[in-house]
Amino acid sequence: MPGSFLLALRFIAYYRSRTMLLVACVTLNLFLPGAVHLLVKRFQESSSARAQATPLIIGAKGSRFGLAIHALSFQGDPVDSVTMAEVLGVRESGLAEPIPLLVRFHARGHVIVGTTPEYFVFRGLNILRGRELQRIGDCVLGSKVAERLRLKSGDRLQTDSENVFDIAGPAPLNLRVAGVLVSANSEDDYAVFVDIKTAWILEGIGHGHDDAEISENGSTLAGTHKHNASRVNLNAHSEVTESNAGAFHFHGDKNTFPVTAIIALPADAKSEVLIMGRYLSPDARAQVLKPSEVLDELMRIVFKAQRLFDLGAMMLGCVTALLVALVMALSLRLRKRERETMFKLGCSRFIIIWLQALELSIVVVASIGLASVLIWLTSLVSPAWIRGWIA
Amino acid sequence: MIQIENLDFSYAETEFRLRIPELSIDQGEKVAIAGPSGIGKTTLLRLLAGILVANQGRVQVAGHDLSHLNDSARRRFRISKIGFVFQDFELVEYLNVRENILLPFMINTSQRLDSAKRHAADELASSLGLADKLNRPIHQLSRGEQQRVAVCRALLPGPRILLADEPTGGLDVANGDRVIEILTQNADQTGASLICVTHDLGVLDRFDRAIQFTAFLAEAPSSGAN
């Protein structure tokens, strides 16, 4: 009956403040649990796929969740480092292929991931434009980073000062953008990848200057050397170029160089068990974890919190239902005269009830529509929210 | 057309009682009903419209014995035969003028709301001086204009019997006269019966007959025709 629909719409429009209040209440009750479920689902999907694809993570003892999130998402609180000796130990054992990660630095707000070429092969990351890392000082950008910073191969990207008050600390380095990665729809899209040696330069372990006096057994890129102590005005390089690349060098024993996590790719199931066994000892300097198990553990906690939220949302829903019922009851009382008029004009009691039900239905449908739009908008921004939440 | 015999009506849990031994009104007759407040004039109109049902006696209107009709049948009777101008207009505040006039067609499944009806509503409103106010909300209208909207709503379905409950109440003399003129003219043109409750003795001469309500119904000679 089109007339009754028009009547219901007119009533709703006339009492728009009341209608908006009702719609807001019902929308909130639909949106909040919906959005929470969506965010949890998205978080689970995004993190579990990556966790499943990562067999083992080795890192400093401490928070298992922190280490897993650090190695998988390059986010979360900073974690303690282990040394390259751990990487070499895993490699020498022949049980697994280690991929070191050093994640501590940022370039224009985007995380810098120091790693080896094996990482790109492991994650299946391909170059979209430009080329792969060729030397220290090069970087390869995740697709989102390139998009946000509007950088292309050949451009320069300066690293951030991690501590502006540490004037004696390592200076920011101008990275050369070697290439841009194909979007992987993962955390890799938001990272700036450099060779792990470049990350060590950012760490301050390596540097380059004009008059470095190389020792006989030193190597400019990987080995050690002695400085000419008589010269104090060293012209330190803030960018690696073709001409000065040879002047970059490292100090100390490579075995002591830091990595914040190691992705270990066991040769087989037996190797995986053996690797895990090595780190079960209380004397072990590091811990090993299976990301999928850690994520499952984390999700169990998240689901518990979600159930609590659902309970709260259910109570809120009951309160809203009572509020709506109260408003409708008051409205029925206030509109008694209007109903009597309609009855006198020949309107059946069924149509009168139908009109009231139609008004309530329009409010509910509008609320469902609004909540759906809000949930859709949430789904659009959910990756950023989840990233922010993890960070 | 309207025949009442031994009508006895009372509201539950009140002392009010309306008794009419006999009353008849012919088709096309214009009747004014006057009398003190609370005596049962409005109740009589509601009985004639089938909104209320007599406790005893017979109320026959346009061939229908309303005492023997069920709710649904009385409702259909009301839709098809009766136009009612209520005492205080009873317009719906959230509808505009046009929608208020068309309200009977919007709430009754048996009445079809089509473009012809919309056109008729606009023409009727124009004839009553509401042409430029069709889209206005009701609260923006004067009382006289609101009463004319109520009259339009009652007239639009083309009723056989037009009931008006103090249609000049709260209106100034000019507006009151105009409303009575509209109602009587319409009755003359359509041949409908008009039963109008009024306190305004000055308009009684516009009717064929005036009935003075007392404790028991007593018919008084009209000051006008008859």
Side-chain angles (χ1 to χ4, degrees):
Chain A
M1 193 176 166
S4 56
F5 189 70
L6 177 67
L7 276 176
L9 279 181
R10 285 279 188 270
F11 175 80
I12 282 171
Y14 189 78
Y15 295 102
R16 58 181 72 87
S17 302
R18 196 206 73 160
T19 304
M20 282 162 64
L21 179 70
L22 283 178
V23 168
C25 286
V26 178
T27 300
L28 204 61
N29 275 276
L30 297 172
F31 167 69
L32 282 179
V36 167
H37 277 260
L38 174 84
L39 288 173
V40 169
K41 190 172 173 229
R42 288 286 166 87
F43 172 67
Q44 189 183 19
E45 283 170 0
S46 64
S47 53
S48 69
R50 203 163 165 87
Q52 293 288 347
T54 310
L56 294 174
I57 293 170
I58 298 165
K61 285 189 169 179
S63 166
R64 286 159 52 79
F65 297 140
L67 178 59
I69 288 170
H70 175 84
L72 296 174
S73 311
F74 314 132
Q75 292 184 84
D77 295 329
V79 297
D80 291 336
S81 55
V82 292
T83 62
M84 273 300 283
E86 217 66 56
V87 178
L88 299 174
V90 172
R91 181 166 292 141
E92 284 164 8
S93 73
L95 297 171
E97 177 63 31
I99 301 174
L101 297 174
L102 180 54
V103 185
R104 271 186 187 158
F105 306 99
H106 296 83
R108 290 172 66 181
H110 293 86
V111 69
I112 296 173
V113 178
T115 187
T116 55
E118 288 77 17
Y119 182 84
F120 300 96
V121 177
F122 165 61
R123 291 285 186 214
L125 301 175
N126 297 311
I127 297 291
L128 176 69
R129 291 184 296 272
R131 50 184 170 68
E132 296 169 350
L133 299 172
Q134 291 195 325
R135 58 163 164 78
I136 59 164
D138 273 0
C139 68
V140 168
L141 306 180
S143 59
K144 291 286 181 192
V145 178
E147 184 185 311
R148 286 178 183 176
L149 301 183
R150 295 180 181 180
L151 291 175
K152 57 186 185 305
S153 61
D155 289 343
R156 296 293 185 270
L157 173 63
Q158 190 174 46
T159 63
D160 300 339
S161 289
E162 295 300 316
N163 185 352
V164 292
F165 300 106
D166 182 14
I167 55 174
L173 191 66
N174 254 343
L175 300 173
R176 181 180 69 170
V177 178
V180 176
L181 293 170
V182 175
S183 173
N185 292 318
S186 70
E187 295 302 325
D188 296 322
D189 295 345
Y190 299 88
V192 175
F193 291 95
V194 297
D195 189 273
I196 193 144
K197 294 188 187 78
T198 307
W200 287 331
I201 291 172
L202 295 173
E203 186 85 25
I205 299 168
H207 58 187
H209 46 82
D210 286 344
D211 54 354
E213 184 181 285
I214 310 303
S215 66
E216 284 182 0
N217 56 358
S219 158
T220 51
L221 291 183
T224 59
H225 71 282
K226 294 172 184 172
H227 283 132
N228 183 345
S230 64
R231 298 290 300 273
V232 289
N233 295 323
L234 300 179
N235 184 20
H237 301 304
S238 61
E239 182 176 340
V240 182
T241 62
E242 296 299 337
S243 58
N244 71 13
F248 276 82
H249 50 272
F250 296 90
H251 295 270
D253 178 5
K254 187 182 175 185
N255 281 341
T256 63
F257 290 1
V259 294
T260 50
I262 304 163
I263 294 174
L265 310 176
D268 48 35
K270 184 182 170 187
S271 303
E272 182 178 308
V273 174
L274 289 173
I275 283 273
M276 292 185 78
R278 284 176 57 154
Y279 290 93
L280 285 178
S281 159
D283 301 331
R285 292 165 295 179
Q287 66 171 328
V288 64
L289 53 87
K290 288 184 83 165
S292 56
E293 288 178 0
V294 175
L295 252 297
D296 286 347
E297 209 175 314
L298 182 61
M299 288 313 299
R300 277 196 291 278
I301 295 169
V302 171
F303 285 139
K304 270 185 190 172
Q306 188 188 341
R307 276 197 290 277
L308 275 177
F309 182 86
D310 285 347
L311 192 66
M314 202 183 296
M315 289 168 71
L316 184 67
C318 290
V319 171
T320 304
L322 287 173
L323 176 73
V324 171
L326 178 69
V327 170
M328 293 307 290
L330 288 174
S331 173
L332 283 177
R333 182 173 289 188
L334 288 171
R335 296 172 68 191
K336 186 180 174 194
R337 189 180 169 79
E338 179 194 324
R339 289 199 307 277
E340 283 175 0
T341 300
M342 290 189 178
F343 175 71
K344 287 181 210 167
L345 291 174
C347 184
S348 70
R349 297 192 192 284
F350 170 76
I351 295 288
I352 291 171
I353 294 168
W354 164 252
L355 272 171
Q356 307 273 335
L358 199 57
E359 286 162 14
L360 184 62
S361 303
I362 290 171
V363 168
V364 172
V365 168
S367 304
I368 291 171
L370 189 57
S372 302
V373 169
L374 289 175
I375 289 174
W376 174 70
L377 289 174
T378 305
S379 75
L380 293 182
V381 298
S382 61
W385 279 9
I386 290 169
R387 283 178 51 74
W389 179 49
I390 293 170
Chain B
M1 182 64 179
I2 296 174
Q3 190 69 44
I4 293 177
E5 288 173 11
N6 300 320
L7 170 71
D8 192 339
F9 176 82
S10 59
Y11 290 105
E13 297 175 8
T14 65
E15 292 180 1
F16 173 85
R17 193 162 190 189
L18 175 67
R19 277 180 288 186
I20 301 175
E22 188 177 2
L23 173 65
S24 76
I25 297 170
D26 294 334
Q27 174 65 44
E29 193 177 8
K30 302 188 290 288
V31 177
I33 297 175
S37 295
I39 198 115
K41 302 184 297 293
T42 299
T43 301
L44 173 61
L45 292 188
R46 290 182 175 196
L47 286 162
L48 293 175
I51 296 168
L52 298 174
V53 184
N55 303 117
Q56 283 180 23
R58 192 166 71 98
V59 179
Q60 184 149 347
V61 182
H64 297 275
D65 186 347
L66 300 183
S67 309
H68 291 100
L69 296 181
N70 61 21
D71 279 357
S72 179
R74 283 205 311 278
R75 190 172 59 78
R76 286 197 298 274
F77 156 78
R78 204 153 55 242
I79 293 168
S80 60
K81 306 289 183 193
I82 302 292
F84 208 138
V85 180
F86 301 107
Q87 191 169 3
D88 41 8
F89 321 149
E90 299 198 23
L91 300 172
V92 179
E93 62 178 338
Y94 55 83
L95 299 178
N96 62 27
V97 169
R98 182 187 283 115
E99 289 160 351
N100 262 290
I101 294 170
L102 290 168
L103 185 61
F105 297 90
M106 294 162 80
I107 57 177
N108 293 315
T109 46
S110 57
Q111 304 272 59
R112 192 163 168 219
L113 178 58
D114 52 21
S115 56
K117 275 284 174 269
R118 290 177 207 277
H119 184 67
D122 287 1
E123 282 205 332
L124 186 59
S126 299
S127 70
L128 268 62
L130 296 167
D132 57 338
K133 297 181 170 66
L134 283 166
N135 294 315
R136 289 243 187 115
I138 286 301
H139 64 81
Q140 287 184 5
L141 269 56
S142 68
R143 281 186 65 79
E145 288 167 337
Q146 289 184 13
Q147 184 63 298
R148 276 182 272 154
V149 174
V151 169
C152 280
R153 184 177 67 187
L155 296 181
L156 185 62
R160 298 267 291 153
I161 298 151
L162 193 54
L163 306 173
D165 193 358
E166 297 194 27
T168 58
L171 299 181
D172 56 41
V173 175
N175 271 311
D177 276 352
R178 185 159 188 204
V179 167
I180 293 296
E181 187 185 341
I182 291 163
L183 291 172
T184 52
Q185 269 184 3
N186 181 270
D188 289 339
Q189 287 166 5
T190 61
S193 302
L194 171 64
I195 296 106
C196 178
V197 167
T198 181
H199 280 122
D200 187 354
L201 300 177
V203 300
L204 293 182
D205 59 351
R206 306 276 189 88
F207 294 87
D208 300 330
R209 185 157 49 123
I211 299 172
Q212 182 66 38
F213 251 44
T214 57
F216 294 96
L217 179 67
E219 196 164 335
S222 166
S223 58
N226 192 27

